[in-house]
Amino acid sequence: MGKIKVVHYINQFFAGIGGEEKADHRPEVREEVLGPGLALKAGFKDEAEIVATVICGDSYFGENIEEAKKEVLEMVKKYNPDLFIAGPAFNAGRYGVACGTIADAVQNELGIPSLTAMYEENPGADMFKKAVYIVSTKDSAAGMRDAVKKIVPLALKLVKGEEIGSPAEEGYLERGIRKNYFTDKRGSERAVDMLIKKLKGEEFETEFPMPDFDRVPPNPAVKDITKATIAIVTSGGAVPKGNPDHIESSSAQKYGKYDIEGIFDLNPENGETSHGGYDPVYANDDLDRVIPVDVLRELEKEGKIGKLHRYYYSTVGNGTAVANAKKFAEEFSKELVADGVDAVILTST
Amino acid sequence: MRLELGHVLIKDVQFGSETKIENGVLYVNKEELIKLISEDEHLASVDVEIAKPGESVRITPVKDVVEPRVKVEGPGGVFPGILSKVDVVGSGKTNVLKGCAVMTTGKIVGFQEGIVDMTGPGAEYTPFSKTNNVVLICQPVEGLKQHDHERAVRFAGFKAAAYLAEAAKSLTPDTVEVYETLPFLEGIKKYPDLPKIGYVQMLQTQGLLHDTYVYGVDAKQIVPTIIYPTEVMDGAIVSGNCVSACDKNTTYHQLNNPVIHDLYKEHGKTLNFVGVIITNENVYLADKERSSNWSAKLAEYLGLDGVIISQEGFGNPDTDLIMNCKKIEAKGIKTVIITDEYAGRDGASQSLADADKAADAVVTGGNANEIIKLPAMDKVIGTLDYIDTIAGGFDGSLAEDGSITVEIQAITGATNEMGFNKMSAKGF
């Protein structure tokens, strides 16, 4: 491998163009090493070379995100680099968001290993730490040397596809990816140790920091339910008898779409559950307990709802990753909209 | 309450003409054991096999694992309310066949039964690759309903364990451990300067293959209550569940509850281990509210300074776990919780179904969704028929060459939430 080609992204301030008054500076590319690039260059020694520096004003990027992203991507693409580095942004908020946005785009749209660096409280950190490696820096440019010391080895590992160590070892912000490992003490002993420390007011380290949860606000009420097409979606594992799509009993990797035209009642002959997380006896006996087809058919007949949608969508919620659940819903909610469904009854178990 | 646990060390298990223990070898009269277990009219056939550590043997679907114990002195017998009368157990002397276990397998009941490999990478994840296992293969009679099937096999495990343990009743144990918990007020008086610590044990109680029994009572039906730690060492709590295999507390785990043992280790030194509060994990919201209210109320009533809370299972019980933690912390009592994670195969999704900032001290048994490849074994006890459909398996889990690719949730005891194992997880 020859010298690793790097494209570096910085804002108008670090390019020496100007401060806030020049923050509307439009994207430009220069085939030279500028500002923090000099420190990176020194850090890379002969292993890597910054072939171009892309400069963009923070306000311009923030106010024209889609356009700015497109322009910068074009510039980066032209050089076909092996590595893309944005920042460090330290505690500059708009700059941090720009660095995260563009590093994410270069990595995912161009497939080029990318990283950025910023202070952990920079708003860009929370927005992008899951998507790209963000090296943790101090809150001002006084932390440049320290930042470069961490960026260089991590960047080289990324390009070479070497194993990346833990956040503490490499100096990046935790991305929330959980990996198992074996410790030297069993869990109960670790719990007793932790409790003793907690009681004494000593410092202790939790093994799982509590996550921030997504909250989904409910949609407004359906205006006229008597005209509405209602679909059933469930994480209760409802499937036609025999589980034709082999939906997993736990940790589902797929969902099913099932036709219920002409079905007015579910019974042990036409339905069952593939869910491994609850007592299935009552669901297998009468699957209407999980997806209320019988009741919805009655309401349909009585004109209390417009109609029951011809298909129901089903997966197993048991031990299923949120990422999978999101992916399933993104796919089938498009179908539901395209099919003119007005409302969905979601049943869980 | 004071219990002497006498460990009779079992180094090997063999079939023999008489069930007995000699020089650390457990000899099993196979015919006699089969005859005993076959008495149950729900079972069409029973067979017994032996699986030892290091052998190229795979056992699946594993339902329960039981450590053989026998009461030598003191009131009652093991598994009170189930095999023995409902006397209060946990005092006197009990002998334990240390290093061996009874394991139950046979036709699957649900989706949750697990895999135990005696060697290879899978063996690292289960404690039962290190025990000499007497495996019962129980097949139900035609048409037996799932609930009856589960019960029949559960009882088979207990009966076999009690039968084997009888051989140790008159033996002098190799080692003796003494555990004692004083009546509450005396215990408080004895260590006035040490923090008062309790253990809140959550029992899985969600229905078929999700139930736990306390003195024979289905724990769905209990309100949280207090028991002496030594009671569980005599089988006061037994498992009737497999949720999923990785985070089911088998009866073996219940008997050897590591939180209880590790709290005893510090008892009188850094802390005063006052006792155990048991609570359940029912599916109805009102039950969850009631039980967590009560566990917090009992912790407060006992004047505890700190508690360890252990969960069983995942998903729905995450709610019970967080309710217990939140409500106990709100009483000014410090908590550490033990759980496990379902963060997706890539580890990138959120690990729990519920969270609260009060849960600032967490021990994890690891991410159950992580994938593992288990090479084929020379011998299978049970059947590989269900590998693709058990919790943690998927279409194609079982390859033609007999190797298996599954999530570690399919391995019995892999992410145990009593903290039985050394595995943990960290964020990258």
Side-chain angles (χ1 to χ4, degrees):
Chain A
M1 192 171 194
K3 259 193 190 179
I4 292 161
K5 283 196 293 179
V6 185
V7 170
H8 186 209
Y9 175 92
I10 54 175
N11 70 357
Q12 84 287 347
F13 176 76
F14 283 99
I17 294 170
E20 194 53 39
E21 77 285 358
K22 297 285 185 193
D24 59 351
H25 191 81
R26 296 180 64 107
E28 63 158 319
V29 61
R30 295 188 197 170
E31 292 184 3
E32 56 180 314
V33 183
L34 283 170
L38 295 166
L40 288 173
K41 185 184 166 180
F44 281 128
K45 299 202 174 82
D46 289 335
E47 276 207 80
E49 167 186 27
I50 296 176
V51 293
T53 303
V54 176
I55 304 155
C56 180
D58 288 336
S59 300
Y60 180 79
F61 198 100
E63 286 158 18
N64 308 278
I65 286 187
E66 285 313 310
E67 215 182 313
K69 197 165 85 176
K70 227 171 98 187
E71 289 172 67
V72 174
L73 278 180
E74 278 308 312
M75 291 173 181
V76 175
K77 203 172 161 185
K78 217 172 73 188
Y79 291 93
N80 190 26
D82 305 303
L83 172 69
F84 178 76
I85 297 175
F90 303 105
N91 202 21
R94 284 173 308 168
Y95 186 23
V97 174
C99 284
T101 308
I102 199 64
D104 181 23
V106 170
Q107 180 173 277
N108 292 316
E109 291 175 35
L110 303 183
I112 296 167
S114 301
L115 86 164
T116 179
M118 64 191 77
Y119 181 54
E120 62 181 348
E121 286 178 23
N122 189 312
D126 262 353
M127 289 167 69
F128 293 101
K129 67 183 177 189
K130 284 195 173 176
V132 287
Y133 283 105
I134 300 181
V135 167
S136 170
T137 71
K138 297 196 171 124
D139 61 355
S140 77
M144 185 68 79
R145 270 186 58 171
D146 174 64
V148 169
K149 244 193 273 174
K150 291 190 272 189
I151 292 171
V152 167
L154 180 60
L156 292 175
K157 277 191 179 177
L158 273 178
V159 179
K160 294 175 188 167
E162 288 172 11
E163 197 182 324
I164 309 291
S166 68
E169 287 159 2
E170 308 279 1
Y172 61 87
L173 296 171
E174 192 183 312
R175 310 178 67 194
I177 293 172
R178 305 289 294 169
K179 283 188 188 169
N180 292 338
Y181 72 107
F182 287 96
T183 64
D184 54 353
K185 283 182 182 172
R186 64 179 183 180
S188 51
E189 195 182 347
R190 305 199 305 270
V192 174
D193 290 351
M194 201 183 285
L195 184 61
I196 291 170
K197 282 186 183 161
K198 191 172 171 179
L199 282 164
K200 285 185 181 163
E202 290 172 4
E203 209 172 296
F204 61 89
E205 198 181 338
T206 181
E207 294 179 6
F208 177 65
M210 283 291 120
D212 299 321
F213 266 65
D214 290 345
R215 300 281 169 197
V216 182
N219 277 333
V222 174
K223 285 214 178 71
D224 184 359
I225 196 80
T226 64
K227 304 269 188 306
T229 299
I230 313 277
I232 303 170
V233 174
T234 185
S235 61
V239 288
K241 185 82 178 171
N243 189 12
D245 294 320
H246 301 208
I247 295 178
E248 294 84 353
S249 59
S250 180
S251 188
Q253 305 296 313
K254 53 195 162 195
Y255 63 91
K257 175 184 180 181
Y258 301 113
D259 192 345
I260 40 172
E261 178 142 285
I263 293 182
F264 292 87
D265 186 30
L266 295 164
N267 54 50
E269 277 70 51
N270 63 11
E272 65 181 28
T273 180
S274 67
H275 197 291
Y278 64 91
D279 186 339
V281 168
Y282 310 101
N284 290 339
D285 188 41
D286 182 357
L287 197 60
D288 291 305
R289 288 169 173 150
V290 179
I291 49 168
V293 171
D294 55 350
V295 175
L296 285 164
R297 287 292 183 214
E298 277 170 34
L299 293 173
E300 193 178 34
K301 215 165 93 190
E302 292 164 14
K304 288 186 176 159
I305 61 167
K307 67 171 189 166
L308 177 60
H309 186 49
R310 178 170 174 170
Y311 302 97
Y312 75 89
Y313 292 84
S314 176
T315 190
V316 164
N318 185 34
T320 296
V322 176
N324 286 4
K326 266 190 179 165
K327 192 179 76 192
F328 302 160
E330 271 163 18
E331 281 176 25
F332 64 67
S333 53
K334 281 185 199 137
E335 284 187 26
L336 289 168
V337 171
D339 287 349
V341 171
D342 301 297
V344 166
I345 292 179
L346 283 168
T347 65
S348 66
T349 45
Chain B
M1 190 175 278
R2 182 178 188 277
L3 181 67
E4 279 184 30
L5 273 191
H7 290 175
V8 175
L9 305 180
I10 303 297
K11 295 187 281 282
D12 191 18
V13 178
Q14 296 174 17
F15 289 120
S17 56
E18 185 192 345
T19 297
K20 62 178 178 185
I21 297 164
E22 259 176 25
N23 301 320
V25 180
L26 169 66
Y27 296 92
V28 181
N29 179 330
K30 188 172 169 176
E31 288 68 38
E32 199 173 74
L33 178 56
I34 290 175
K35 201 169 150 230
L36 172 77
I37 304 305
S38 302
E39 282 173 5
D40 190 330
E41 62 190 19
H42 299 101
L43 298 178
S45 75
V46 177
D47 199 5
V48 181
E49 299 235 34
I50 291 169
K52 301 177 191 180
E55 287 180 341
S56 181
V57 172
R58 169 164 296 144
I59 310 153
T60 188
V62 173
K63 298 155 201 297
D64 196 13
V65 187
V66 189
E67 186 172 56
R69 295 186 172 206
V70 62
K71 206 78 205 140
V72 177
E73 258 180 55
V78 291
F79 306 128
I82 292 166
L83 291 191
S84 307
K85 290 188 173 173
V86 289
D87 297 301
V88 173
V89 292
S91 60
K93 287 183 183 173
T94 298
N95 276 354
V96 183
L97 271 61
K98 209 75 212 169
C100 90
V102 169
M103 209 174 259
T104 44
T105 184
K107 185 183 175 214
I108 203 157
V109 175
F111 297 110
Q112 297 93 343
E113 292 127 283
I115 301 169
V116 170
D117 280 359
M118 299 307 289
T119 189
E124 303 293 316
Y125 290 83
T126 176
F128 308 115
S129 61
K130 288 121 202 148
T131 46
N132 289 290
N133 301 315
V134 177
V135 187
L136 304 179
I137 305 116
C138 302
Q139 306 299 1
V141 294
E142 194 75 25
L144 188 65
K145 297 270 191 218
Q146 281 170 293
H147 287 120
D148 297 325
H149 179 186
E150 187 280 324
R151 190 190 312 113
V153 183
R154 171 162 32 100
F155 271 76
F158 302 148
K159 278 191 266 184
Y163 164 81
L164 296 176
E166 202 60 32
K169 188 161 184 172
S170 56
L171 295 184
T172 308
D174 298 290
T175 60
V176 175
E177 291 175 359
V178 180
Y179 298 98
E180 184 169 22
T181 296
L182 295 173
F184 182 65
L185 290 179
E186 287 173 46
I188 299 299
K189 239 184 272 171
K190 188 164 179 190
Y191 302 109
D193 300 325
L194 292 177
K196 298 179 286 299
I197 304 302
Y199 169 36
V200 176
Q201 188 188 357
M202 297 170 55
L203 308 174
Q204 178 58 248
T205 52
Q206 295 186 310
L208 180 66
L209 284 179
H210 292 78
D211 283 327
T212 303
Y213 300 85
V214 180
Y215 279 90
V217 177
D218 181 343
K220 277 201 291 288
Q221 315 287 351
I222 66 164
V223 287
T225 187
I226 297 165
I227 61 173
Y228 279 102
T230 52
E231 288 178 76
V232 306
M233 297 178 187
D234 276 344
I237 302 173
V238 301
S239 175
N241 72 69
C242 316
V243 281
S244 294
C246 67
D247 51 15
K248 157 202 169 84
N249 295 329
T250 66
T251 299
Y252 187 100
H253 288 106
Q254 297 288 358
L255 290 163
N256 288 284
N257 190 317
V259 176
I260 289 177
H261 283 266
D262 287 342
L263 282 172
Y264 264 132
K265 256 185 224 158
E266 290 297 321
H267 178 59
K269 295 177 198 157
T270 55
L271 54 84
N272 185 359
F273 180 25
V274 172
V276 182
I277 298 168
I278 52 169
T279 181
N280 51 18
E281 303 174 346
N282 289 10
V283 289
Y284 291 100
L285 183 59
D287 289 342
K288 290 177 187 299
E289 291 285 6
R290 183 189 311 109
S291 288
S292 55
N293 289 344
W294 276 57
S295 67
K297 180 185 72 175
L298 290 173
E300 177 190 52
Y301 181 70
L302 294 174
L304 299 177
D305 299 303
V307 297
I308 290 174
I309 307 170
S310 72
Q311 187 188 3
E312 185 174 7
F314 61 96
N316 184 300
D318 292 348
T319 322
D320 302 86
L321 175 71
I322 295 300
M323 280 184 183
N324 282 319
C325 174
K326 217 161 58 177
K327 291 177 185 179
I328 294 172
E329 284 275 347
K331 302 273 187 195
I333 301 164
K334 302 267 196 285
T335 63
V336 170
I337 63 173
I338 312 177
T339 182
D340 66 349
E341 305 180 44
Y342 285 75
R345 291 178 184 172
D346 60 1
S349 286
Q350 62 199 22
S351 296
L352 297 179
D354 199 2
D356 190 87
K357 59 182 185 308
D360 63 355
V362 184
V363 166
T364 173
N367 175 19
N369 291 136
E370 216 167 81
I371 294 273
I372 189 169
K373 184 152 192 229
L374 307 170
M377 297 280 143
D378 294 346
K379 179 178 169 185
V380 173
I381 301 178
T383 171
L384 297 177
D385 290 354
Y386 312 109
I387 294 298
D388 286 3
T389 52
I390 53 172
F394 45 89
D395 240 5
S397 273
L398 178 64
E400 264 180 36
D401 65 358
S403 68
I404 293 173
T405 307
V406 281
E407 297 186 6
I408 58 169
Q409 70 165 309
I411 299 177
T412 301
T415 61
N416 181 271
E417 294 163 286
M418 287 173 166
F420 203 86
N421 307 331
K422 289 183 175 168
M423 195 162 77
S424 177
K426 59 182 165 188
F428 277 74

